[in-house]
């Protein structure tokens, strides 16, 4: 979690610099993530075995801690966002058949421990198209930096596959404020291409307990993956997102 603490420290420093000039918000989500499907084949051809991590192996815990931090800087109708989320999940089990993964061979019956890591960093720009007291709508774009890794260990074999890349996404925000302290809203990023897809969608509420402090609660979905020559990998996670917004 050192990367998370360093990021929060840097954002707080940036907030002190910018807060006098415009609108700055810091959001902290100590999220709980529940995984669904998580499939991988490496390489993505007949030399690799298509493996379901929760199906062919099994999760070591039903839910994992997956913290998220967001920074938003607004000037008039222009909104710039930075976000980071960190997901770690462990799997264990025995190979029911030979598993070819990233040039390593795990024989039938091998005891296998697997680590799935999926960290993402997002830089977004959205323009507020509608800015009414009770309704807001923003559209824009996101650059997603994906820093992912799958590691498998078992019976004198160990292999790690790293997947680092930048993906462009479409970004949106829609909010409804029935009363001054309460906002019902949804925001997210997503895009589909022949090489894969990515979606990060949130729907929830914000309640302002203080002019500078809001409580956030809702549901988040992160789904996507890659289907390229080097790897096939797709995963789906459901998040219970409860957090804190600090307005500088």
């Amino acid at each position: 979690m050192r990367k998370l603490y360093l990021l929060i420290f840097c954002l707080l420093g940036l907030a002190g610099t910018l807060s006098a000039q415009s609108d700055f918000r810091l959001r902290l989500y100590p999220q709980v993530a529940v995984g669904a499907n998580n499939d991988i084949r490496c390489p993505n051809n007949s030399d690799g075995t298509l493996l379901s991590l929760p199906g062919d192996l099994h999760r070591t815990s039903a839910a994992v801690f997956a913290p998220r931090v967001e920074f938003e800087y607004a000037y008039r109708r222009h909104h710039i966002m930075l976000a980071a989320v960190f997901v770690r999940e462990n799997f264990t089990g025995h190979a029911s058949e030979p598993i070819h993964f990233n040039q390593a061979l795990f024989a039938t019956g091998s005891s296998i421990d697997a680590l799935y890591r999926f960290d993402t960093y997002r830089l977004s720009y959205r323009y507020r198209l509608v800015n009414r007291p009770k309704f807001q709508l923003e559209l824009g774009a996101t650059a997603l930096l994906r820093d992912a890794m799958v590691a498998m260990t078992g019976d004198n074999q160990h292999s790690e596959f790293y997947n680092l890349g930048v993906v462009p996404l479409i970004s949106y925000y829609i909010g409804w404020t029935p009363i001054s302290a309460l906002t019902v809203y949804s925001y997210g990023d997503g895009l589909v291409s022949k090489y894969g897809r990515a979606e990060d969608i949130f729907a929830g509420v914000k309640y302002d307990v203080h002019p500078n402090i809001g409580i956030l609660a809702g549901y988040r979905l992160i789904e996507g993956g890659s289907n390229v020559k080097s790897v096939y990998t797709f995963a789906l996670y459901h998040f219970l997102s409860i957090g804190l917004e600090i307005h500088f």
Side-chain angles (χ1 to χ4, degrees), residues 33-38 53-54 59-64 87-91 114-118 236-237:
V34 177
N37 60 288
N38 195 326
L53 292 176
R59 293 183 162 92
T60 60
S61 59
V64 295
V87 178
R88 305 282 190 282
E89 192 168 26
N90 291 288
F91 301 84
L115 168 64
Y116 176 81
R117 174 174 63 80
F118 189 71
L236 168 62
Y237 283 88

Side-chain angles (χ1 to χ4, degrees), residues 100-232:
H100 297 263
F101 172 75
N102 196 35
Q103 300 182 344
L105 173 60
F106 298 87
T108 301
S110 297
S111 177
I112 297 176
D113 293 313
L115 168 64
Y116 176 81
R117 174 174 63 80
F118 189 71
D119 299 337
T120 58
Y121 307 88
R122 299 164 191 264
L123 172 61
S124 303
Y125 168 80
R126 291 196 297 259
Y127 181 78
R128 181 158 290 189
L129 296 171
V130 180
N131 191 25
R132 298 174 183 169
K134 290 192 175 184
F135 181 74
Q136 306 85 40
L137 174 64
E138 301 170 9
L139 289 177
T142 292
L144 166 67
L145 173 63
R146 177 186 64 247
D147 180 12
M149 186 269 288
V150 177
M152 294 182 61
T153 303
D155 292 357
N156 301 317
Q157 293 282 345
H158 178 79
S159 186
E160 298 178 355
F161 180 81
Y162 292 86
N163 189 359
L164 182 68
V166 178
V167 181
L169 305 173
I170 297 172
S171 183
Y172 81 94
Y173 171 92
I174 183 170
W176 175 53
T177 307
I179 59 175
S180 60
L182 178 67
T183 301
V184 181
Y185 68 106
S186 175
Y187 73 100
D189 312 300
L191 194 67
V192 177
S193 77
K194 65 178 182 179
Y195 303 108
R197 62 182 181 268
E199 305 95 39
D200 181 344
I201 306 297
F202 174 88
V205 298
K206 182 186 76 166
Y207 185 77
D208 294 326
V209 296
H210 182 274
N212 296 327
I213 299 176
I215 303 298
L216 313 167
Y219 164 77
R220 186 184 304 278
L221 176 147
I222 293 182
E223 192 273 344
S226 301
N227 184 6
V228 294
K229 183 177 180 180
S230 59
V231 66
Y232 173 94

